[in-house]
């Protein structure tokens, strides 16, 4: 059985965790391939039982699924330990089934401090988890991988050199000393923990795929936060796109059979940056409340906008999406009208493709097609035929525009609140 990549097609928070929750039950493994604890994957386990995961793959809720954190992920050891402890306290057995690649780079206290000094939180709206500074060290060939973290000499030499070099322009020597001491004492307590969970993810996944087992590759963030394809510089520092998935876990691209693109039937974004279909009136507040649109990591209210079809179509192309999962149809129920962006107007011209330039992205005005709204509680609908006519119109327009078939439409927060459109896909993967 080959691999399936779950990738977000907007600016993150599309419902990837929720879709993996319904897919992973019979998978052999779920592996995260990029990002870090900037991610927040929310799983609704019961009426009042919500689990927010930041680093541990969403498959962890199923006792037989192996969970891997790949080399493409940046790992804050303290945060990973806390998440594993939280899961253990909640009765999830993590021991012996959650592993991290020794090639993953770590996030250290100086990364968090550097992000503060650089003002990236306010300038870019980052999650302030040290993600950018850790990836910066990796690309600059000065980073510390888990394998280096476990080597006393290499760790000390590199960490102390980096702290001096990177913090000296911003901090007094006594402040730098505090960070140095914290870094060394953290490592003292965290290295034994990391040692117990470090495993060669590439070897493990390769063996699983060879035996024909199902492997899900889980992205964080979304296509338009991708450092290459996103709304640069308002992006994260990694590559959430599906093309990076094999690289981020150490398998070959030929293993990937399905690229499942996840898209919400409206759009949200957290943090700064252009967002052509953003709405700011009472309607935005209504959608935010109905859809629980608050960041799972930072609690920030998400910016709200209408569905942007050219953006979605571009994401399908970049990722090679061959199945779609459309989420949160239920959130739109009760609106009298629904706007769907089908192009942009820029300096008197109509664009059919989302532009790349920052100025064009900021100035492009959406061209909308207005659809009538629909009403009713959709959460128990399990057949496409039973959806309101106007809801079907929205879905049909989306699929037609993207020229990609849908496998799943989600109509509620629980894994069972969904309509299966592609039975063959679901028989294979669920
Ligand atoms: P960073 O990843 O913390 O460096 O933040 C860079 C940008 O990505 C900011 O706009 C964040 O709000 C956004 N971002 C990072 N992780 C997520 C996520 O999981 N969901 C949505 N936005 C995210």
């Amino acid at each position: 059985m080959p691999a399936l990549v779950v990738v977000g097609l907007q600016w993150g928070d599309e419902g990837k965790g929720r879709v993996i929750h319904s897919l992973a039950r019979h998978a052999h493994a779920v592996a995260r391939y990029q990002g870090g604890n900037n991610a927040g994957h929310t799983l609704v386990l019961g009426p009042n039982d919500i689990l927010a995961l930041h680093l541990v793959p969403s498959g962890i809720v199923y006792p037989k699924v192996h969970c891997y954190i790949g080399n493409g992920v940046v790992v804050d050891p303290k945060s990973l330990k806390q998440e594993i402890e939280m899961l253990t306290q909640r009765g999830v057995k993590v021991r012996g089934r959650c592993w991290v690649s020794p090639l993953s780079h770590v996030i250290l206290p100086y990364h968090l401090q550097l992000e503060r000094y650089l003002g990236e939180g306010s300038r870019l709206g980052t999650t302030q988890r040290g993600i950018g500074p850790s990836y910066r060290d990796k690309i600059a060939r000065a980073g510390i991988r888990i394998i280096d973290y476990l080597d006393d000499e290499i760790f000390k030499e590199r960490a102390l050199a980096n702290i001096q070099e990177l913090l000296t322009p911003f901090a007094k020597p006594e402040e730098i000393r505090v960070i140095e001491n914290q870094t060394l004492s953290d490592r003292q307590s965290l290295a034994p923990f990391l040692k117990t969970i470090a495993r060669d993810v590439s070897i493990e996944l390769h063996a699983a795929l060879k035996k024909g087992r199902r492997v899900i590759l889980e992205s964080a963030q979304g296509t338009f936060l991708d450092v290459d394809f996103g709304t640069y510089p308002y992006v994260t520092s990694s590559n959430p796109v599906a093309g990076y998935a094999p690289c981020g876990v150490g398998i070959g691209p030929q293993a990937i059979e399905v690229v499942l693109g996840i898209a919400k039937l409206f759009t949200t974004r957290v943090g700064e940056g252009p967002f052509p279909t953003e709405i700011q009136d009472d309607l935005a507040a209504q959608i935010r409340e109905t859809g629980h649109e608050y960041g799972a990591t930072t609690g920030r209210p998400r910016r709200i906008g209408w569905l942007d079809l050219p953006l979605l179509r571009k994401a399908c192309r970049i990722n090679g999406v061959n199945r779609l999962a459309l989420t949160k149809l239920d959130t739109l129920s009760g609106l009298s009208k629904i706007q769907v962006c089908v192009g942009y107007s820029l300096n008197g011209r109509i664009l059919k493709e989302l532009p790349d330039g920052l100025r064009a992205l900021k100035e492009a005005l959406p061209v909308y097609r207005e659809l009538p709204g629909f009403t009713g509680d959709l959460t128990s609908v399990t057949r496409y035929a039973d959806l309101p006519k106007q809801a079907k119109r929205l879905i049909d327009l989306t699929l037609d525009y993207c020229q990609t078939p849908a496998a799943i439409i989600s109509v509620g927060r629980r894994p069972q609140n969904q309509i299966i459109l592609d039975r063959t896909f679901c028989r294979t993967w669920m």
Side-chain angles (χ1 to χ4, degrees):
M1 198 77 64
L4 172 146
V5 181
V6 171
V7 62
L9 302 184
Q10 292 150 324
W11 279 285
D13 309 314
E14 297 92 350
K16 296 179 291 293
R18 187 223 168 285
V19 170
I20 293 172
H21 190 190
S22 65
L23 279 182
R25 187 184 296 274
H26 302 296
H28 171 77
V30 181
R32 269 280 301 272
Y33 62 85
Q34 50 67 235
N37 59 330
N38 48 351
H41 290 172
T42 309
L43 312 188
V44 178
L45 305 175
N48 293 312
D49 193 5
I50 293 174
L51 183 64
L53 295 170
H54 301 286
L55 263 173
V56 174
S58 304
I60 201 75
V61 290
Y62 298 114
K64 293 208 171 118
V65 177
H66 297 252
C67 290
Y68 296 98
I69 298 171
N71 54 280
V73 177
V74 284
V75 175
D76 181 332
K78 201 183 250 180
S79 166
L80 179 59
K81 185 159 185 268
Q82 280 165 358
E83 192 165 320
I84 288 180
E85 281 166 3
M86 176 276 291
L87 285 164
T88 309
Q89 268 163 22
R90 291 189 60 159
V92 179
K93 187 185 155 283
V94 181
R95 239 183 115 136
R97 51 185 288 260
C98 180
W99 311 105
V100 61
S101 166
L103 304 182
S104 302
H105 281 243
V106 290
I107 299 176
L108 297 177
Y110 78 84
H111 292 121
L112 297 159
Q113 198 60 37
L114 188 61
E115 191 168 15
R116 263 178 240 132
Y117 288 139
L118 294 170
E120 291 182 337
S122 48
R123 191 162 51 86
L124 303 173
T126 67
T127 57
Q128 307 201 58
R129 298 294 188 269
I131 305 294
S134 177
Y135 276 117
R136 194 179 310 192
D137 279 358
K138 173 176 176 175
I139 299 305
R141 294 164 292 185
I144 296 167
R145 302 166 301 170
I146 286 180
I147 199 168
D148 307 319
Y149 192 87
L150 299 178
D151 183 310
D152 196 34
E153 216 172 291
I154 292 180
F155 174 77
K156 245 191 214 147
E157 189 186 311
R158 205 171 298 165
L160 296 181
N162 285 354
I163 291 171
Q164 281 300 330
E165 185 187 330
L166 297 166
L167 298 191
T168 298
F170 304 100
K172 296 195 184 90
E174 56 273 24
E175 290 166 339
I176 293 182
R177 247 189 317 276
V178 172
I179 302 280
E180 282 175 347
N181 291 339
Q182 191 191 340
T183 306
L184 297 178
S185 73
D186 279 359
R187 179 182 172 269
Q188 201 77 9
S189 60
L190 293 165
F193 151 74
L194 279 185
K195 204 169 176 183
T196 61
I197 60 167
R199 252 202 202 182
D200 191 319
V201 173
S202 166
I203 289 182
E204 298 262 321
L205 293 185
H206 194 261
L209 287 164
K210 222 170 154 194
K211 286 188 192 139
R213 294 181 165 159
R214 274 172 272 202
V215 172
I216 296 175
L217 304 179
E218 174 177 359
S219 69
Q221 295 84 47
T223 301
F224 294 96
L225 287 171
D226 185 278
V227 68
D228 285 275
F229 293 102
T231 47
Y232 193 88
Y234 298 98
V235 292
T236 192
S237 302
S238 63
N239 290 103
V241 293
Y244 186 75
C247 178
V249 296
I251 58 169
Q254 79 282 10
I256 293 165
E257 186 185 273
V258 182
V259 178
L260 180 64
I262 319 295
K264 257 194 301 225
L265 285 153
F266 50 99
T267 314
T268 62
R269 168 161 209 173
V270 207
E272 302 302 312
F275 182 177
T277 64
E278 182 169 19
I279 48 174
Q280 273 159 338
D281 50 19
D282 292 348
L283 202 55
Q286 186 189 326
I287 295 174
R288 182 177 302 116
E289 292 314 311
T290 318
H292 310 277
E293 293 294 351
Y294 291 88
T297 299
T298 57
R300 292 179 289 177
R302 294 179 186 144
R303 297 158 65 191
I304 308 286
W306 294 116
L307 180 64
D308 188 333
L309 288 181
L311 175 137
L312 217 55
R313 185 168 57 187
K314 184 171 180 172
C316 287
R317 185 186 73 229
I318 290 168
N319 290 290
V321 172
N322 52 12
R323 290 290 186 294
L324 280 167
L326 302 176
T327 63
K328 290 209 153 178
L329 180 64
D330 52 307
T331 303
L332 297 175
S333 181
L335 301 183
S336 57
K337 289 182 183 112
I338 293 168
Q339 308 290 347
V340 179
C341 172
V342 290
Y344 314 92
S345 134
L346 181 69
N347 303 326
R349 284 188 311 131
I350 297 293
L351 310 180
K352 289 281 175 203
E353 169 89 3
L354 184 81
D356 286 316
L358 193 56
R359 191 189 308 281
L361 269 169
K362 281 183 177 162
E363 291 175 1
L365 295 172
V367 175
Y368 286 119
R369 185 177 303 175
E370 186 174 285
L371 298 182
F374 48 89
T375 52
D377 177 8
L378 305 187
T379 52
S380 51
V381 177
T382 52
R383 289 176 352 135
Y384 177 80
D386 297 336
L387 283 173
K389 192 170 83 200
Q390 311 302 6
K392 285 187 204 156
R393 238 179 110 177
L394 173 65
I395 289 162
D396 293 348
L397 175 66
T398 306
L399 300 183
D400 190 40
Y401 206 93
C402 294
Q403 290 290 298
T404 308
I408 303 165
I409 297 168
S410 85
V411 288
R413 302 186 85 194
R414 307 279 302 274
Q416 60 269 35
N417 304 136
Q418 65 186 6
I419 297 166
I420 305 252
L421 290 179
D422 184 337
R423 300 221 161 264
T424 316
F425 167 85
C426 292
R427 256 199 304 275
T428 313
W429 284 99
M430 291 172 94

